[in-house]
Amino acid sequence: MKKYLLSFALAFMSLTAFAQADYEKVMTEKIAKIETCKTAEDFQTLANDFQRIGSKESSKWLPPYYAAFSQIQKGRLMMRNGNMQGLDETADQADKYLASAQNLAGADNAEIHLLRKMASSLRMMVNPAQRYMTDGAKAVEEMGIAEKLDPANPRVALIKAEDTYFTPEQYGGSKTKGMEMFKEAVTKFNAYKPKTALDPNWGKSEAEYFLNMPGK
Amino acid sequence: MKTQGKKLLLLIAFLSFIIGYSQVKISGKVTFRGKGVNEINITLKDTYDGATTDAQGSFSFETSEKGSHILTFTHPKYQDVEKTITIDNQDVVMNAELKEQISEIDAVVVSAGSIEASDRKRATALLTPIDIYTTAGADGQISSALNYLPGVQKVGETEGLFIRGGTGTESKIFMDGSLINNYFSSSVPGIAGRDRFNTSLFKGNIFSSGGYSALYGQALSGALMLESVDLPDQSSYDLGISPIFLSVGFQKLGADKNHSFGGTLGYSLLSVMQKVFNFNTDFIDAPQGLNGDFNFRIKTKSGGFFKYYGMYDSNKMGVRTESLEPEYDFALIRLKGKNTYHNLSFKQKFGKYLLNAGTSYSYNQSDLNFSTETNDTESDKSKLLTDGNYINFKAVLERKINKISALRAGFELNNTNENLNFGEVQKNYKDLISSAFMETDLGFSNALSAKIGVRAENSSFLGKTNIAPRFALAYRLAKDWTTSFAYGWFYQNPESKYINGPADLDFQKSQHYIFQVQRAAEGRSLRFEAFYKKYDQLIKTFNITPDKEQNQQVQTALNNNGDGYAKGLELFWRDKKTFENIDYWVSYSFLDSKRDFINYPVSLKPNFASAHTLSVVAKRFIPEWKLGVNLSYTYAKGRPYYDIATKNENSSVINYVRNEGKLKDYNALNISFNYLPNLGKKDAKAFTVFVLSVSNVLGSKNVYGYNFSNDGSRSSSVVPPVNTFVFIGAFISFGVDRTQDAINNNL
């Protein structure tokens, strides 16, 4: 009897091991897709994929994190195309995923706070005049938390650089200063080691894109 | 044991290998009302497998799962669908038809007759406080900025919102649900009073040019609902300096961010400007005013929110006009006004219920002194003293039903106690209007919703009760296009200034029919409204001239036999998208109206109704220069004017028109500049805005009406106090860096 029990236990262990391998495989595959997404639809599809993984792996924070990240990237694409009306929905979705990611990962995760900042910024863009004081302030707050939790985080540096780069000079922004900050971000990216292979590791190519822009 | 375990492991590995290579394709099409929908998330429950639909609604994915499974179809805009499928070795085709998820954001809102300017309805906001400040010619006043929207008539000589052929007193202004009595400062005939309330006190407003909610009453034409700001984001200090005024203010936010308090103090005096500009009006006492206000906000632990706002202001002016009477050279009027207003509101959620309660008290005193001047000698003064005490209480309980439906009910008490003193005449007017109301928002789907309401009022003065049903319907025609229709009855007591003798009076009544088509898309909105308004039971009056020494006639109510109508078409177009950094809007109103009311002997086109009104507002921000340039233009077709007198014939009073005519067309072009020198300066301690505004740049000589002598033989025109006015000022705030604010406003 004991023997059987043990073999059952073993069998279960190996099953879990398989599942674990599957999780890592599917996550690695989907994370790789982030780089290839070109349209808002692509990102929506990817968000759905992560959502699906998240609903099965309900104890892991990375699937909802990436689902939120895909939503935010979708929102940023929409914003660039001037589709401001859909931003609220996208940000709402992202925040929903971020809430479950934070439940699992804890409140001291800088990566989640950074995404919260990005979601708030998207929401503010719908009506900057009205929302600067609410969503704008929230974005600043979340950015502050992220920076405090993880000063070496290259993604925090990247988003700060972008904010500086896109703010016109008259308002305290600066293209040159932005470029400097992108350089710093790249340095941080080179020094940064993600905790696991699946942990957030995006943004380096974005920073390099800015640095390699022609005429700069 | 070891070997057994290994065997088992091998078996499992083998099985999973087999399974892994026997993939089954699951595909299908997802539709909503027969059309394919994209971005639907399809999941084979408890697996990683699934797909997202494409633009045609099609999906397909492969799975190695076997047996009975559940396939889910999810999307935030639709209700979740679950389907059971059995996976063998054949491919599975599974289609799904979705049902829409009814939600507050997507639901169509009844908007006939109303223009909402808060952020609650997200992108549909039309006129925000910042819009008001940057509208040239509005002087930062809410009521003036509304003149640039369709449906509001340009009437320069009297304060108030003249909406769709209604008089200025047919519109009421509310703060957090409570009525504001005497929203405008006391005025002398021919010179409109100003807004007493600071525009920046309000975070948003709903302006209704008809068909408004059953929660509000006592306005035949329209209502302006102002929503006061909540807790400030930070503590701050403000300073405003200009040759005509000085103001200081502060807002202090508690460290716990649960309470705040603040106040302002201001003084204004026009005399410096009088020396610089050529005024039409001869001010013997330059207009001057002193005002102060105080506010606090408290969030309670249980989630309640108290807001208090209290203000005091006093104003003074004296005007001398050339006399129309042969007996003397000049007529003089001196005004002293005092006003205080206090508003306390409370809001809290109790489970499914939301309670909104508010109470306000106001006291208004306006003393007018009339005299005449002959050969530089001033006669004795006759005094017209009026004061009023007003108490308002209102409570509304709201219950949400489903997602987009709600039921609201409540009651309101309005108590008025006014005294008038004029020589021998002593008048005391008392009225308590008690109202009860109920309203329901019914959302049938995201595309169809209705609002049904009823309001009942009892006036202790009239000794009568009314019941007013109201109804509105909204339907979404297409993605960006909505249409709505509103119908309702509206009652209003006769104005107390007409009640100067015994008469059996009743409520005045109007009925509104409003049809609207609206298109709201990214950065652009278009509205078209057609309306018909029918008036009944309007009061009829006759003139009495209480004092031969001055020509202020008093009208006295006789009965409610008046009636009238107003109908028209309105167009509104706002575009922030087409031209970079430019926001502009155009509004046009056509109005056809006739009324037999007050002292009109027959049905006449009212003297405050202009047939065509066109206004254009454009704002451009030039980031490189840190400069905002704002333009506005208004054209209004000439209004009619009347000189109406009363005579006694066979012991009955008869009103007749002695003189009448048509004013010349009104037009004015205004320009204003905002310069923000500290914009973008890092670590700026103070944030400054310099404002330069020129109203009526082209110097058009506009005429608002005519005054007639007691016998009707001589007349003089009523004109603005000044044709072209230049305002310069600086507004500085400390503590809060509003730089970002300014940038984002102009992005």
Side-chain angles (χ1 to χ4, degrees), chain B residues 185-235:
Chain B
S185 63
S186 306
S187 61
V188 301
I191 299 176
R194 291 178 57 88
D195 288 30
R196 288 187 208 266
F197 292 77
N198 194 334
T199 300
S200 55
L201 260 177
F202 304 103
K203 60 178 175 188
N205 58 68
I206 303 167
F207 172 60
S208 170
S209 47
Y212 60 88
S213 145
L215 266 55
Y216 304 91
Q218 285 292 318
L220 287 179
S221 287
L224 173 64
M225 295 80 147
L226 303 169
E227 276 178 90
S228 70
V229 291
D230 297 328
L231 289 167
D233 300 288
Q234 295 170 65
S235 299

Short mmCIF file of all heavy atoms in Angstrom, two decimals, chain B residues 185-235:
data_model
loop_
_atom_site.label_atom_id
_atom_site.label_comp_id
_atom_site.label_asym_id
_atom_site.label_seq_id
_atom_site.Cartn_x
_atom_site.Cartn_y
_atom_site.Cartn_z
N SER B 185 -25.26 90.04 -8.81
CA SER B 185 -25.20 91.17 -7.90
C SER B 185 -26.36 92.12 -8.18
O SER B 185 -26.90 92.15 -9.28
CB SER B 185 -23.86 91.89 -8.04
OG SER B 185 -23.73 92.42 -9.33
N SER B 186 -26.73 92.91 -7.17
CA SER B 186 -27.81 93.88 -7.32
C SER B 186 -27.44 94.85 -8.44
O SER B 186 -26.27 95.17 -8.64
CB SER B 186 -28.00 94.66 -6.03
OG SER B 186 -28.19 93.78 -4.97
N SER B 187 -28.44 95.34 -9.14
CA SER B 187 -28.13 96.19 -10.28
C SER B 187 -29.09 97.36 -10.34
O SER B 187 -30.13 97.38 -9.69
CB SER B 187 -28.24 95.38 -11.57
OG SER B 187 -29.55 94.91 -11.73
N VAL B 188 -28.70 98.35 -11.13
CA VAL B 188 -29.61 99.46 -11.39
C VAL B 188 -30.18 99.25 -12.80
O VAL B 188 -29.55 98.57 -13.61
CB VAL B 188 -28.88 100.83 -11.30
CG1 VAL B 188 -28.28 101.02 -9.92
CG2 VAL B 188 -27.81 100.96 -12.36
N PRO B 189 -31.35 99.81 -13.09
CA PRO B 189 -31.94 99.57 -14.40
C PRO B 189 -30.98 99.94 -15.53
O PRO B 189 -30.33 100.98 -15.49
CB PRO B 189 -33.16 100.50 -14.40
CG PRO B 189 -33.50 100.66 -12.96
CD PRO B 189 -32.21 100.62 -12.22
N GLY B 190 -30.85 99.04 -16.50
CA GLY B 190 -30.01 99.33 -17.66
C GLY B 190 -28.59 98.80 -17.55
O GLY B 190 -27.87 98.71 -18.53
N ILE B 191 -28.15 98.46 -16.33
CA ILE B 191 -26.80 97.92 -16.17
C ILE B 191 -26.91 96.56 -15.50
O ILE B 191 -27.39 96.45 -14.37
CB ILE B 191 -25.91 98.86 -15.33
CG1 ILE B 191 -25.79 100.22 -16.03
CG2 ILE B 191 -24.54 98.24 -15.08
CD1 ILE B 191 -25.03 101.26 -15.25
N ALA B 192 -26.49 95.53 -16.22
CA ALA B 192 -26.65 94.17 -15.72
C ALA B 192 -25.76 93.90 -14.52
O ALA B 192 -24.63 94.38 -14.46
CB ALA B 192 -26.33 93.18 -16.83
N GLY B 193 -26.27 93.14 -13.57
CA GLY B 193 -25.46 92.71 -12.44
C GLY B 193 -24.47 91.65 -12.90
O GLY B 193 -24.58 91.10 -13.98
N ARG B 194 -23.49 91.37 -12.05
CA ARG B 194 -22.47 90.39 -12.41
C ARG B 194 -22.63 89.12 -11.57
O ARG B 194 -23.29 89.12 -10.55
CB ARG B 194 -21.08 90.97 -12.16
CG ARG B 194 -20.70 92.08 -13.10
CD ARG B 194 -19.32 92.62 -12.74
NE ARG B 194 -18.30 91.56 -12.74
CZ ARG B 194 -17.61 91.20 -13.83
NH1 ARG B 194 -17.81 91.80 -14.97
NH2 ARG B 194 -16.71 90.24 -13.76
N ASP B 195 -21.98 88.04 -12.03
CA ASP B 195 -21.97 86.80 -11.24
C ASP B 195 -21.30 87.08 -9.91
O ASP B 195 -20.23 87.66 -9.88
CB ASP B 195 -21.13 85.71 -11.96
CG ASP B 195 -21.80 85.16 -13.19
OD1 ASP B 195 -22.57 85.91 -13.82
OD2 ASP B 195 -21.56 83.99 -13.52
N ARG B 196 -21.93 86.65 -8.82
CA ARG B 196 -21.29 86.83 -7.52
C ARG B 196 -20.32 85.70 -7.22
O ARG B 196 -19.54 85.77 -6.30
CB ARG B 196 -22.34 86.80 -6.41
CG ARG B 196 -23.24 87.98 -6.33
CD ARG B 196 -24.08 87.81 -5.07
NE ARG B 196 -25.37 88.45 -5.18
CZ ARG B 196 -25.61 89.68 -4.75
NH1 ARG B 196 -24.66 90.39 -4.21
NH2 ARG B 196 -26.81 90.20 -4.87
N PHE B 197 -20.47 84.60 -7.96
CA PHE B 197 -19.71 83.39 -7.62
C PHE B 197 -18.51 83.22 -8.53
O PHE B 197 -18.58 83.46 -9.73
CB PHE B 197 -20.61 82.16 -7.70
CG PHE B 197 -21.66 82.14 -6.65
CD1 PHE B 197 -22.79 82.93 -6.76
CD2 PHE B 197 -21.50 81.36 -5.52
CE1 PHE B 197 -23.76 82.93 -5.78
CE2 PHE B 197 -22.46 81.36 -4.52
CZ PHE B 197 -23.59 82.15 -4.65
N ASN B 198 -17.43 82.80 -7.92
CA ASN B 198 -16.18 82.60 -8.61
C ASN B 198 -16.25 81.34 -9.48
O ASN B 198 -16.60 80.27 -9.00
CB ASN B 198 -15.13 82.42 -7.51
CG ASN B 198 -13.75 82.52 -8.02
OD1 ASN B 198 -13.49 82.25 -9.19
ND2 ASN B 198 -12.84 82.89 -7.15
N THR B 199 -15.88 81.48 -10.74
CA THR B 199 -15.95 80.35 -11.67
C THR B 199 -15.13 79.14 -11.19
O THR B 199 -15.54 78.00 -11.35
CB THR B 199 -15.46 80.80 -13.06
OG1 THR B 199 -16.30 81.86 -13.49
CG2 THR B 199 -15.51 79.68 -14.07
N SER B 200 -13.98 79.41 -10.57
CA SER B 200 -13.11 78.30 -10.19
C SER B 200 -13.63 77.52 -8.99
O SER B 200 -13.06 76.52 -8.59
CB SER B 200 -11.69 78.80 -9.92
OG SER B 200 -11.73 79.82 -8.96
N LEU B 201 -14.75 77.98 -8.41
CA LEU B 201 -15.40 77.24 -7.32
C LEU B 201 -16.04 75.97 -7.81
O LEU B 201 -16.38 75.09 -7.03
CB LEU B 201 -16.55 78.09 -6.78
CG LEU B 201 -16.36 78.88 -5.53
CD1 LEU B 201 -17.61 79.67 -5.28
CD2 LEU B 201 -16.08 77.96 -4.38
N PHE B 202 -16.29 75.92 -9.13
CA PHE B 202 -17.09 74.82 -9.66
C PHE B 202 -16.27 73.94 -10.58
O PHE B 202 -15.58 74.43 -11.45
CB PHE B 202 -18.30 75.38 -10.39
CG PHE B 202 -19.12 76.29 -9.51
CD1 PHE B 202 -19.05 77.66 -9.64
CD2 PHE B 202 -19.92 75.75 -8.52
CE1 PHE B 202 -19.78 78.49 -8.80
CE2 PHE B 202 -20.65 76.56 -7.68
CZ PHE B 202 -20.59 77.94 -7.81
N LYS B 203 -16.37 72.65 -10.36
CA LYS B 203 -15.60 71.75 -11.20
C LYS B 203 -16.34 71.43 -12.49
O LYS B 203 -15.73 70.99 -13.46
CB LYS B 203 -15.28 70.46 -10.45
CG LYS B 203 -16.51 69.69 -10.00
CD LYS B 203 -16.13 68.40 -9.31
CE LYS B 203 -17.39 67.73 -8.77
NZ LYS B 203 -17.13 66.59 -7.93
N GLY B 204 -17.63 71.62 -12.49
CA GLY B 204 -18.37 71.31 -13.70
C GLY B 204 -19.75 71.89 -13.62
O GLY B 204 -20.16 72.43 -12.59
N ASN B 205 -20.47 71.83 -14.70
CA ASN B 205 -21.83 72.32 -14.68
C ASN B 205 -22.66 71.63 -15.73
O ASN B 205 -22.15 71.11 -16.71
CB ASN B 205 -21.86 73.85 -14.89
CG ASN B 205 -21.22 74.26 -16.18
OD1 ASN B 205 -21.75 73.97 -17.25
ND2 ASN B 205 -20.07 74.91 -16.11
N ILE B 206 -23.95 71.59 -15.46
CA ILE B 206 -24.88 71.06 -16.45
C ILE B 206 -25.78 72.21 -16.81
O ILE B 206 -26.42 72.79 -15.94
CB ILE B 206 -25.73 69.91 -15.88
CG1 ILE B 206 -24.83 68.80 -15.36
CG2 ILE B 206 -26.70 69.39 -16.94
CD1 ILE B 206 -25.55 67.79 -14.50
N PHE B 207 -25.78 72.58 -18.05
CA PHE B 207 -26.62 73.67 -18.47
C PHE B 207 -27.78 73.09 -19.28
O PHE B 207 -27.58 72.43 -20.27
CB PHE B 207 -25.83 74.66 -19.32
CG PHE B 207 -26.70 75.71 -19.92
CD1 PHE B 207 -27.43 76.55 -19.10
CD2 PHE B 207 -26.80 75.85 -21.29
CE1 PHE B 207 -28.27 77.50 -19.65
CE2 PHE B 207 -27.63 76.82 -21.85
CZ PHE B 207 -28.36 77.64 -21.02
N SER B 208 -28.99 73.34 -18.80
CA SER B 208 -30.15 72.81 -19.49
C SER B 208 -30.97 73.94 -20.08
O SER B 208 -31.43 74.82 -19.36
CB SER B 208 -31.01 72.02 -18.52
OG SER B 208 -32.22 71.71 -19.16
N SER B 209 -31.11 73.93 -21.39
CA SER B 209 -31.91 74.97 -22.02
C SER B 209 -33.35 74.49 -22.22
O SER B 209 -34.06 74.98 -23.07
CB SER B 209 -31.27 75.42 -23.33
OG SER B 209 -30.90 74.31 -24.10
N GLY B 210 -33.75 73.53 -21.42
CA GLY B 210 -35.14 73.08 -21.47
C GLY B 210 -35.26 71.60 -21.18
O GLY B 210 -34.27 70.87 -21.23
N GLY B 211 -36.45 71.17 -20.83
CA GLY B 211 -36.70 69.75 -20.60
C GLY B 211 -35.89 69.17 -19.45
O GLY B 211 -35.55 68.00 -19.47
N TYR B 212 -35.59 69.99 -18.45
CA TYR B 212 -34.70 69.51 -17.40
C TYR B 212 -35.39 68.57 -16.42
O TYR B 212 -36.61 68.39 -16.45
CB TYR B 212 -34.02 70.69 -16.69
CG TYR B 212 -34.97 71.66 -16.05
CD1 TYR B 212 -35.41 71.47 -14.75
CD2 TYR B 212 -35.43 72.79 -16.74
CE1 TYR B 212 -36.29 72.35 -14.16
CE2 TYR B 212 -36.31 73.68 -16.16
CZ TYR B 212 -36.73 73.45 -14.87
OH TYR B 212 -37.61 74.32 -14.29
N SER B 213 -34.55 67.98 -15.54
CA SER B 213 -34.98 66.91 -14.63
C SER B 213 -36.02 67.35 -13.60
O SER B 213 -36.06 68.51 -13.19
CB SER B 213 -33.73 66.37 -13.95
OG SER B 213 -33.98 65.99 -12.63
N ALA B 214 -36.81 66.39 -13.13
CA ALA B 214 -37.85 66.66 -12.13
C ALA B 214 -37.26 67.03 -10.77
O ALA B 214 -37.96 67.46 -9.87
CB ALA B 214 -38.76 65.44 -11.99
N LEU B 215 -35.95 66.88 -10.62
CA LEU B 215 -35.29 67.26 -9.37
C LEU B 215 -35.26 68.77 -9.19
O LEU B 215 -35.00 69.27 -8.10
CB LEU B 215 -33.85 66.74 -9.36
CG LEU B 215 -33.59 65.39 -8.70
CD1 LEU B 215 -34.46 64.32 -9.29
CD2 LEU B 215 -32.14 65.01 -8.81
N TYR B 216 -35.49 69.48 -10.28
CA TYR B 216 -35.41 70.94 -10.22
C TYR B 216 -36.74 71.54 -10.64
O TYR B 216 -37.46 70.97 -11.45
CB TYR B 216 -34.29 71.44 -11.13
CG TYR B 216 -32.97 70.82 -10.79
CD1 TYR B 216 -32.55 69.65 -11.41
CD2 TYR B 216 -32.16 71.37 -9.80
CE1 TYR B 216 -31.35 69.06 -11.06
CE2 TYR B 216 -30.96 70.79 -9.45
CZ TYR B 216 -30.56 69.63 -10.08
OH TYR B 216 -29.37 69.04 -9.72
N GLY B 217 -37.03 72.70 -10.09
CA GLY B 217 -38.30 73.32 -10.42
C GLY B 217 -38.24 74.82 -10.36
O GLY B 217 -37.17 75.42 -10.21
N GLN B 218 -39.41 75.46 -10.51
CA GLN B 218 -39.53 76.91 -10.41
C GLN B 218 -38.72 77.66 -11.46
O GLN B 218 -38.21 78.74 -11.21
CB GLN B 218 -39.15 77.39 -9.01
CG GLN B 218 -40.23 77.10 -7.98
CD GLN B 218 -41.50 77.91 -8.21
OE1 GLN B 218 -41.45 79.09 -8.51
NE2 GLN B 218 -42.65 77.26 -8.11
N ALA B 219 -38.63 77.08 -12.65
CA ALA B 219 -37.98 77.78 -13.76
C ALA B 219 -38.71 77.39 -15.03
O ALA B 219 -38.76 76.21 -15.37
CB ALA B 219 -36.52 77.40 -13.85
N LEU B 220 -39.30 78.36 -15.70
CA LEU B 220 -40.09 78.06 -16.89
C LEU B 220 -39.21 77.70 -18.08
O LEU B 220 -39.65 77.03 -19.01
CB LEU B 220 -40.95 79.27 -17.28
CG LEU B 220 -42.17 79.56 -16.40
CD1 LEU B 220 -42.89 80.80 -16.91
CD2 LEU B 220 -43.13 78.38 -16.36
N SER B 221 -37.98 78.19 -18.08
CA SER B 221 -37.14 78.00 -19.27
C SER B 221 -36.01 77.00 -19.12
O SER B 221 -35.88 76.08 -19.91
CB SER B 221 -36.52 79.33 -19.69
OG SER B 221 -37.48 80.16 -20.24
N GLY B 222 -35.17 77.21 -18.13
CA GLY B 222 -34.00 76.35 -18.05
C GLY B 222 -33.33 76.43 -16.71
O GLY B 222 -33.72 77.20 -15.83
N ALA B 223 -32.31 75.60 -16.53
CA ALA B 223 -31.62 75.53 -15.25
C ALA B 223 -30.13 75.34 -15.48
O ALA B 223 -29.71 74.70 -16.44
CB ALA B 223 -32.17 74.38 -14.42
N LEU B 224 -29.37 75.94 -14.58
CA LEU B 224 -27.92 75.74 -14.61
C LEU B 224 -27.54 75.10 -13.29
O LEU B 224 -27.76 75.67 -12.22
CB LEU B 224 -27.22 77.10 -14.77
CG LEU B 224 -25.69 77.10 -14.66
CD1 LEU B 224 -25.05 76.28 -15.78
CD2 LEU B 224 -25.16 78.53 -14.71
N MET B 225 -27.03 73.87 -13.35
CA MET B 225 -26.66 73.16 -12.14
C MET B 225 -25.15 73.19 -12.00
O MET B 225 -24.44 72.62 -12.82
CB MET B 225 -27.13 71.71 -12.19
CG MET B 225 -28.63 71.53 -12.21
SD MET B 225 -29.28 71.81 -13.86
CE MET B 225 -30.64 70.69 -13.92
N LEU B 226 -24.68 73.86 -10.96
CA LEU B 226 -23.25 73.98 -10.75
C LEU B 226 -22.80 72.97 -9.71
O LEU B 226 -23.48 72.76 -8.71
CB LEU B 226 -22.91 75.39 -10.26
CG LEU B 226 -23.35 76.53 -11.16
CD1 LEU B 226 -23.20 77.86 -10.46
CD2 LEU B 226 -22.55 76.53 -12.45
N GLU B 227 -21.66 72.36 -9.96
CA GLU B 227 -21.12 71.38 -9.02
C GLU B 227 -19.85 71.94 -8.41
O GLU B 227 -18.89 72.20 -9.13
CB GLU B 227 -20.73 70.12 -9.76
CG GLU B 227 -21.83 69.14 -10.01
CD GLU B 227 -21.27 67.98 -10.80
OE1 GLU B 227 -20.80 67.04 -10.17
OE2 GLU B 227 -21.28 68.06 -12.03
N SER B 228 -19.83 72.12 -7.11
CA SER B 228 -18.66 72.74 -6.50
C SER B 228 -17.51 71.74 -6.42
O SER B 228 -17.71 70.53 -6.43
CB SER B 228 -19.00 73.27 -5.11
OG SER B 228 -19.21 72.20 -4.24
N VAL B 229 -16.31 72.28 -6.33
CA VAL B 229 -15.12 71.43 -6.29
C VAL B 229 -15.07 70.64 -5.00
O VAL B 229 -15.64 71.02 -4.00
CB VAL B 229 -13.82 72.26 -6.44
CG1 VAL B 229 -13.70 72.82 -7.82
CG2 VAL B 229 -13.75 73.37 -5.40
N ASP B 230 -14.36 69.53 -5.03
CA ASP B 230 -14.17 68.71 -3.83
C ASP B 230 -12.90 69.18 -3.13
O ASP B 230 -12.50 70.31 -3.28
CB ASP B 230 -14.10 67.24 -4.23
CG ASP B 230 -15.41 66.79 -4.87
OD1 ASP B 230 -16.46 67.33 -4.47
OD2 ASP B 230 -15.39 65.92 -5.74
N LEU B 231 -12.26 68.27 -2.43
CA LEU B 231 -11.02 68.62 -1.74
C LEU B 231 -9.98 69.10 -2.75
O LEU B 231 -9.83 68.50 -3.80
CB LEU B 231 -10.48 67.39 -1.01
CG LEU B 231 -11.25 66.92 0.21
CD1 LEU B 231 -10.78 65.53 0.63
CD2 LEU B 231 -11.07 67.88 1.36
N PRO B 232 -9.24 70.17 -2.41
CA PRO B 232 -8.18 70.60 -3.33
C PRO B 232 -7.06 69.55 -3.32
O PRO B 232 -6.96 68.76 -2.39
CB PRO B 232 -7.70 71.92 -2.74
CG PRO B 232 -8.09 71.88 -1.31
CD PRO B 232 -9.33 71.02 -1.23
N ASP B 233 -6.23 69.55 -4.36
CA ASP B 233 -5.15 68.57 -4.43
C ASP B 233 -3.99 68.93 -3.53
O ASP B 233 -3.27 68.09 -3.04
CB ASP B 233 -4.65 68.44 -5.87
CG ASP B 233 -5.78 67.98 -6.77
OD1 ASP B 233 -6.15 66.81 -6.67
OD2 ASP B 233 -6.32 68.80 -7.52
N GLN B 234 -3.80 70.24 -3.35
CA GLN B 234 -2.70 70.72 -2.51
C GLN B 234 -3.10 72.04 -1.88
O GLN B 234 -4.02 72.69 -2.35
CB GLN B 234 -1.45 70.98 -3.36
CG GLN B 234 -0.85 69.78 -4.01
CD GLN B 234 0.22 70.19 -5.01
OE1 GLN B 234 1.24 70.74 -4.64
NE2 GLN B 234 -0.03 69.92 -6.26
N SER B 235 -2.36 72.44 -0.86
CA SER B 235 -2.58 73.77 -0.29
C SER B 235 -2.02 74.80 -1.26
O SER B 235 -1.05 74.55 -1.95
CB SER B 235 -1.87 73.89 1.05
OG SER B 235 -2.40 72.94 1.93
#
